[in-house]
Amino acid sequence: MRIIDVREVTKPIASPIRNAYIDFSKMTASLVAVVTDVVRDGRRVVGYGFNSNGRYGPGGLIRERFRDRILEAEPAGLMNDAGTSLDPHRIWAAMMQNEKPGGHGERSVAVGTIDMAIWDAVAKIEGKPLFRLLAEREQREADPRVFVYAAGGYYYPGKDNGALRKEMRSYLDRGYTVVKMKIGGASIEDDRGRIESVLEEIGSEARLAVDANGRFDLETGIAYAKMLRDYPLFWYEEIGDPLDYALQAAISEFYDAPMATGENLFSHQDARNLLRYGGMRADRDFLQFDCALSYGLVEYLRTLDILRQFGWSRSRCIPHGGHQMSLNIAAGLGLGGNESYPDLFQPYGGFPDTVKVIDGHITMPELPGIGFEGKSDLIKVMRALAD
Ligand SMILES: O=C([O-])CC(=O)C(=O)O
Ligand SMILES: [Mg+2]
């Protein structure tokens, strides 16, 4: 059993939307295929992965560095002890040889993307859904029912509050009970108006989260905290620079309700610093580390261990990214849920075709691997890369 190729193609996921920090007019994603010599059900096992939106596709790093380290490694050294499957932890170590610590962006995205494909291949080799495999390895019960929320509410040209309301209404129509919108890309008074419009639209049918995408300095973050306190929000997300833990801690003196952050922390060391120094509150705040951007599930398992050491429940984790990999981690390892972008970043985001959102939750189908084969538009582009 061996990996015979690692292929990468960089795909556009461009759209006219904008958050408080960036527009998505030139956004890309890397799609990766890990091709094995294993055959299951008459088909070659190929694992697939892609990186989450917001960071550009790291194709250069994958093609120039990480791919070769896998292909040049002794195949037996990438397998588990029993020789029955690939070992994601050993493959991770092979990829990370000769890499110094620190400075995690953005090789963490390259490694995270390949790691997703490795786990997909491993679960396919074992012939089971990844979430079941993960639960088994931890000897815990999987829970196929996962909370999901609808992320959107971006700024884009010509979008007024009426269009924003319509967008949010469409998420409720599709079964979501929590929706998210952007803030910090307009004046504080305009943002207040946008928030009031959405709250009026969703009434008691859903809750609203807001996301500043790391835009604010301390003074602006506090000014927004004071404004946001007037509303019953689900969370106030990524207020300042992701590595400014003192800022995050200071905001908690002005904002009692839940906050969320972590999508731009790319290692377990950064996650630990957030818990050490960020003043995050284990009884109410949310952690959004996204394995596809942060060295993959092998590293995410280390991050979960840090949570345990700091007395945090995994149910406080609702990852960024809206991909099926985190859905599997949520169902298999007991996270609190996952993000979803109902109208964005297709065909990569979303669920298998048969999955519906009901009362803010989805139920994982029993598909081998991550479940990409159940999403017809996605598996088509994946198989075009390698089959
Ligand atoms: O707009 C983005 O970069 C995505 C984002 O922050 C989120 O989904 O929370
Ligand atoms: Mg965010």
Side-chain angles (χ1 to χ4, degrees), residues 235-309:
W235 72 49
Y236 176 18
E237 174 175 334
E238 211 179 27
I239 297 147
D241 186 275
L243 292 169
D244 191 339
Y245 306 119
L247 180 151
Q248 178 65 39
I251 300 289
S252 62
E253 294 178 30
F254 296 88
Y255 197 76
D256 277 342
M259 293 188 276
T261 193
E263 71 178 67
N264 288 304
L265 298 185
F266 291 163
S267 65
H268 78 273
Q269 293 92 343
D270 285 346
R272 183 167 55 204
N273 280 337
L274 177 69
L275 299 189
R276 275 180 182 154
Y277 307 118
M280 299 290 282
R281 302 153 304 181
D283 63 342
R284 76 196 83 158
D285 290 331
F286 292 93
L287 304 171
Q288 301 174 295
F289 318 121
D290 174 356
C291 65
L293 301 179
S294 56
Y295 294 115
L297 174 55
V298 167
E299 178 78 358
Y300 195 78
L301 292 170
R302 298 181 188 126
T303 298
L304 291 180
D305 199 46
I306 299 285
L307 258 64
R308 186 189 53 72
Q309 288 170 33

Side-chain angles (χ1 to χ4, degrees), residues 34-338:
V34 169
V35 184
T36 74
D37 64 353
V38 182
V39 174
R40 289 285 180 271
D41 296 327
R43 183 168 207 121
R44 180 190 292 285
V45 170
V46 181
Y48 300 106
F50 51 86
N51 67 279
S52 301
N53 72 82
R55 297 279 158 177
Y56 295 88
L61 296 179
I62 292 171
R63 290 190 303 269
E64 289 163 19
R65 220 151 82 222
F66 297 108
R67 171 184 187 272
D68 293 349
R69 290 197 188 131
I70 293 175
L71 296 180
E72 286 165 10
E74 184 55 48
L78 303 181
M79 294 181 63
N80 62 12
D81 285 341
T84 53
S85 191
L86 302 170
D87 184 326
H89 299 265
R90 288 177 179 163
I91 296 169
W92 195 95
M95 281 196 278
M96 287 296 286
Q97 65 187 281
N98 284 324
E99 296 285 332
K100 291 171 81 173
H104 298 288
E106 297 184 321
R107 73 178 175 201
S108 63
V109 185
V111 173
T113 305
I114 298 172
D115 173 274
M116 187 189 294
I118 301 285
W119 285 99
D120 187 38
V122 168
K124 284 171 179 164
I125 289 168
E126 296 193 25
K128 54 184 75 149
L130 178 60
F131 72 94
R132 299 243 172 248
L133 178 148
L134 295 176
E136 267 170 33
R137 288 192 177 190
E138 282 205 352
Q139 297 175 334
R140 56 185 291 144
E141 187 91 27
D143 183 357
R145 189 164 179 268
V146 180
F147 165 72
V148 288
Y149 73 93
Y154 282 81
Y155 302 96
Y156 63 79
K159 185 178 186 179
D160 61 11
N161 290 357
L164 180 61
R165 287 173 74 138
K166 220 166 133 196
E167 178 192 343
M168 297 297 161
R169 170 57 51 189
S170 84
Y171 299 148
L172 305 199
D173 290 344
R174 280 175 268 181
Y176 290 94
T177 55
V178 175
V179 297
K180 186 165 92 180
M181 62 182 275
K182 298 300 177 183
I183 58 168
S187 71
I188 190 165
E189 275 319 308
D190 283 353
D191 276 340
R192 185 195 279 278
R194 292 170 67 249
I195 289 167
E196 287 189 352
S197 286
V198 170
L199 288 174
E200 208 177 284
E201 181 66 40
I202 67 177
S204 60
E205 294 170 69
R207 305 278 312 276
L208 173 65
V210 297
D211 184 359
N213 284 97
R215 177 80 265 180
F216 299 151
D217 59 15
L218 183 58
E219 202 180 345
T220 314
I222 292 170
Y224 266 77
K226 290 179 176 171
M227 181 271 278
L228 296 172
R229 287 190 312 219
D230 292 342
Y231 308 99
L233 297 179
F234 193 72
W235 72 49
Y236 176 18
E237 174 175 334
E238 211 179 27
I239 297 147
D241 186 275
L243 292 169
D244 191 339
Y245 306 119
L247 180 151
Q248 178 65 39
I251 300 289
S252 62
E253 294 178 30
F254 296 88
Y255 197 76
D256 277 342
M259 293 188 276
T261 193
E263 71 178 67
N264 288 304
L265 298 185
F266 291 163
S267 65
H268 78 273
Q269 293 92 343
D270 285 346
R272 183 167 55 204
N273 280 337
L274 177 69
L275 299 189
R276 275 180 182 154
Y277 307 118
M280 299 290 282
R281 302 153 304 181
D283 63 342
R284 76 196 83 158
D285 290 331
F286 292 93
L287 304 171
Q288 301 174 295
F289 318 121
D290 174 356
C291 65
L293 301 179
S294 56
Y295 294 115
L297 174 55
V298 167
E299 178 78 358
Y300 195 78
L301 292 170
R302 298 181 188 126
T303 298
L304 291 180
D305 199 46
I306 299 285
L307 258 64
R308 186 189 53 72
Q309 288 170 33
F310 281 76
W312 278 70
S313 162
R314 291 174 177 190
S315 65
R316 305 313 304 171
C317 294
I318 302 185
H320 165 272
H323 47 75
Q324 292 182 66
M325 180 71 182
S326 284
L327 278 182
N328 276 276
I329 300 173
L333 298 181
L335 309 186
N338 195 31

